[in-house]
Amino acid sequence: MKKSSKSTVGATRRDFIKTGAAAAAGFMVVPRHVLGGAGFVAPSDKLVIAGIGVGGKGESDLKSFHDSGKAEIAYLCDVDDRRAAGSVKRFPKAKYYRDFREMLDKEHKHIDAVSVSGPDHNHAVHALPAMQLGKHVYVQKPLTHDVYEARVLTEAAKKYKVVTQMGNQGASGDGVRIMREWFDAGLIGDVHTIYTWTDRPVWPQGIPWPGQKAEVPKELDWDLWLGTAPYKDYVEKLVPFNWRGWWDYGTGALGDMGCHIMEAPFSILGLQYVKDVQASVGTVYVDEFKRGYFPESCPPSSYAVMTFPKTNKTSGDVTIHWMDGGIQPQRPDELGANEVFGDGGNGILFIGTKGKMMAGCYAENPRLLPTSLTEQHKLPVKYERVPGGASGHYAQWVEACIAGYGNKEVSAPFEISGPLTEALLMSNLAIRGSDLRIDNKYPGRNLKLIWDNDNMKVSNFDEVNQFVKREYRKGWELPKV
């Protein structure tokens, strides 16, 4: 990829219009409503976005940016023409690419921001080059595939001074702000324990790799889809969704849903980096007393217990329990026998010294326990709501990008979502370690992994440190910050 000049990195199409054209002699400022009527958005106030991974969630992301009325979807990039078809139809004027490197190389002078929504294993390698070109970025959750990558993107956001947002839209919802107001008011006291859970995975896990090679669909560039991952022959039912259950590409249920469900504990309590994790995983037996061993696949279920250091909002360490695969914690005594726990399949339960509160996924439908207390405590609004709530997550980022770095707040900047992602991915080290077989033994079981945050490594079980920063396929290495 060609390197842009310093002036290109620092200047966008919008910057040029605002500074270059406005400085010209004799330029006359004409009111916007005269130019385009009521509701007209001038080109200089529209964010020019390029999408990388524009099918599925990427398609809905781009639509949401466009629906803000302040974004132009000008470039589309996807390795699978079938998945991209919806966005291509919706944005017929957008120029289409398959290789993101070609798109950034040829079009970076015309792009303000980039939305990244491909598989987890390519998030960082898609986002970082755009950031280095001075482009604002929106990256789907989880932010990255590896702990190392999350740290790199967090540092890159500060260095390149770009507006960042992770795609955990619940961070912009009213629920987390209501719970934060309850907590600040002391309604549940000091929080020391939190339970989080999900009914995912809703894709296959705990299975052997399908060994039968299949023909690559003509619409798919398989090499580009693999990206950073080791080369393997194409197999059926991996693309476009089931990759989530394979460690080479996905991060399991914890990586997929943890960013949605654990965001509330992070933002309410000001949590940062995890200090230790222990985990256990579901086991698959293939015959009588014969355990299956499928190291390439995430386990069918897992249970992790994380310890976070004291913050300025807690009196001591905080313990967070995570459960997936349909496992749920014991129902609190304060919850009625017929009342829904969380949202039925997912949930968050805060336990404090004075009381408890719970919510569903994205911190939706927050309730104090017993639930009768919820209506009794109507507090004044302390934290400004994001217009549109969780759906406003997209317009919030668009407007912050137009305002420029540091001028407008976003709900999930990398300074928050980076440490959140790191904590989840570090917990995945314990999940992988529990299922790691060495010399026909499982030495990672029944251990509490101690995390050395400064050096980004587990200090008491070195075998899992290979997953902190994986080996990239040759030619797909992450650029240096």
Side-chain angles (χ1 to χ4, degrees):
M1 184 173 68
K2 296 178 183 177
K3 278 195 170 183
S4 65
S5 67
K6 186 176 180 182
S7 60
T8 300
V9 171
T12 65
R13 169 179 168 273
R14 186 179 63 256
D15 295 329
F16 173 78
I17 293 172
K18 285 184 175 179
T19 58
F27 182 81
M28 180 177 179
V29 177
V30 180
R32 185 178 306 161
H33 69 272
V34 174
L35 292 172
F40 173 74
V41 179
S44 58
D45 286 338
K46 275 209 170 187
L47 187 74
V48 179
I49 297 176
I52 302 176
V54 300
K57 188 58 182 171
E59 181 178 350
S60 64
D61 286 345
L62 294 177
K63 179 183 181 300
S64 295
F65 298 138
H66 181 265
D67 288 350
S68 71
K70 298 181 179 180
E72 176 189 349
I73 311 304
Y75 301 95
L76 302 172
C77 180
D78 204 294
V79 301
D80 190 337
D81 296 344
R82 300 166 301 177
R83 297 289 285 172
S87 290
V88 170
K89 182 177 180 180
R90 185 183 300 276
F91 306 110
K93 294 182 180 179
K95 191 171 181 179
Y96 182 69
Y97 286 88
R98 268 195 171 181
D99 192 329
F100 79 99
R101 297 166 297 187
E102 180 186 5
M103 180 184 73
L104 292 179
D105 186 37
K106 292 182 177 179
E107 310 293 354
H108 63 84
K109 293 181 182 180
H110 314 298
I111 295 169
D112 296 329
V114 175
S115 174
V116 174
S117 189
D120 300 354
H121 68 292
N122 286 330
H123 280 185
V125 78
H126 286 163
L128 184 56
M131 297 170 75
Q132 291 177 320
L133 288 167
K135 311 307 173 188
H136 309 300
V137 291
Y138 183 102
V139 181
Q140 260 305 327
K141 52 76 198 169
L143 185 60
T144 63
H145 183 276
D146 297 350
V147 174
Y148 167 78
E149 294 173 331
R151 186 72 59 92
V152 166
L153 290 197
T154 302
E155 294 174 351
K158 299 174 186 175
K159 178 174 181 178
Y160 301 115
K161 300 188 184 306
V162 293
V163 178
T164 59
Q165 182 98 297
M166 185 170 72
N168 55 332
Q169 60 269 30
S172 291
D174 291 356
V176 65
R177 287 160 177 77
I178 292 171
M179 296 178 84
R180 190 175 176 188
E181 288 162 355
W182 288 343
F183 173 76
D184 288 357
L187 297 186
I188 66 169
D190 181 60
V191 172
H192 50 81
T193 305
I194 300 171
Y195 287 89
T196 59
W197 65 96
T198 183
D199 54 5
R200 296 206 179 193
V202 292
W203 52 82
Q205 290 191 178
I207 58 175
W209 178 258
Q212 187 172 359
K213 177 181 177 181
E215 184 177 351
V216 179
K218 65 180 185 302
E219 301 91 347
L220 173 68
D221 189 316
W222 176 237
D223 187 72
L224 286 178
W225 188 94
L226 283 172
T228 63
Y231 183 83
K232 287 183 179 178
D233 289 329
Y234 176 81
V235 295
E236 297 284 0
K237 297 185 178 180
L238 179 70
V239 177
F241 189 69
N242 289 344
W243 54 265
R244 290 191 176 280
W246 301 99
W247 289 121
D248 275 348
Y249 321 112
T251 49
L254 179 53
D256 179 52
M257 294 301 290
C259 291
H260 287 314
I261 296 171
M262 286 181 56
E263 190 280 330
F266 261 70
S267 60
I268 291 170
L269 301 181
L271 301 179
Q272 283 290 311
Y273 296 98
V274 68
K275 72 177 188 179
D276 61 61
V277 178
Q278 52 189 306
S280 57
V281 299
T283 301
V284 177
Y285 280 82
V286 295
D287 205 342
E288 296 176 5
F289 297 98
K290 184 178 180 182
R291 173 193 293 274
Y293 184 57
F294 311 120
E296 295 174 300
S297 178
C298 307
S301 60
S302 62
Y303 174 37
V305 183
M306 314 164 211
T307 306
F308 291 87
K310 176 185 180 301
T311 73
N312 59 4
K313 296 185 177 183
T314 68
S315 63
D317 288 353
V318 176
T319 301
I320 296 186
H321 298 254
W322 167 266
M323 303 174 184
D324 61 49
I327 302 171
Q328 294 188 1
Q330 179 179 344
R331 292 169 61 90
D333 294 338
E334 297 89 344
L335 187 66
N338 292 331
E339 291 185 291
V340 175
F341 191 18
D343 62 21
N346 312 275
I348 317 164
L349 174 66
F350 288 76
I351 299 177
T353 53
K354 294 181 180 179
K356 300 172 185 175
M357 61 182 181
M358 73 171 185
C361 188
Y362 314 120
E364 290 182 341
N365 192 21
R367 285 150 288 167
L368 292 165
L369 297 180
T371 55
S372 58
L373 293 176
T374 306
E375 292 301 318
Q376 297 177 25
H377 293 283
K378 295 294 186 181
L379 303 179
V381 172
K382 180 179 179 181
Y383 297 105
E384 183 180 356
R385 305 301 193 247
V386 176
S391 297
H393 197 61
Y394 304 92
Q396 182 197 56
W397 175 71
V398 169
E399 291 173 1
C401 293
I402 291 172
Y405 177 79
N407 291 319
K408 188 175 176 59
E409 186 179 85
V410 290
S411 300
F414 291 0
E415 64 186 84
I416 296 174
S417 52
L420 167 60
T421 301
E422 278 197 41
L424 301 179
L425 297 178
M426 191 271 147
S427 299
N428 263 345
L429 299 182
I431 290 171
R432 295 189 77 170
S434 295
D435 213 25
L436 189 62
R437 187 166 71 185
I438 302 174
D439 297 329
N440 290 319
K441 296 179 180 179
Y442 295 87
R445 287 204 178 148
N446 305 313
L447 296 181
K448 177 186 286 188
L449 301 189
I450 308 301
W451 181 242
D452 179 348
N453 184 60
D454 291 339
N455 295 303
M456 280 193 294
K457 69 176 185 178
V458 172
S459 60
N460 63 323
F461 186 52
D462 189 56
E463 286 79 358
V464 296
N465 286 320
Q466 62 182 302
F467 307 125
V468 172
K469 178 186 177 183
R470 70 193 186 284
E471 290 291 328
Y472 297 98
R473 190 158 61 109
K474 188 174 180 180
W476 285 91
E477 296 82 3
L478 194 66
K480 292 184 178 179
V481 176

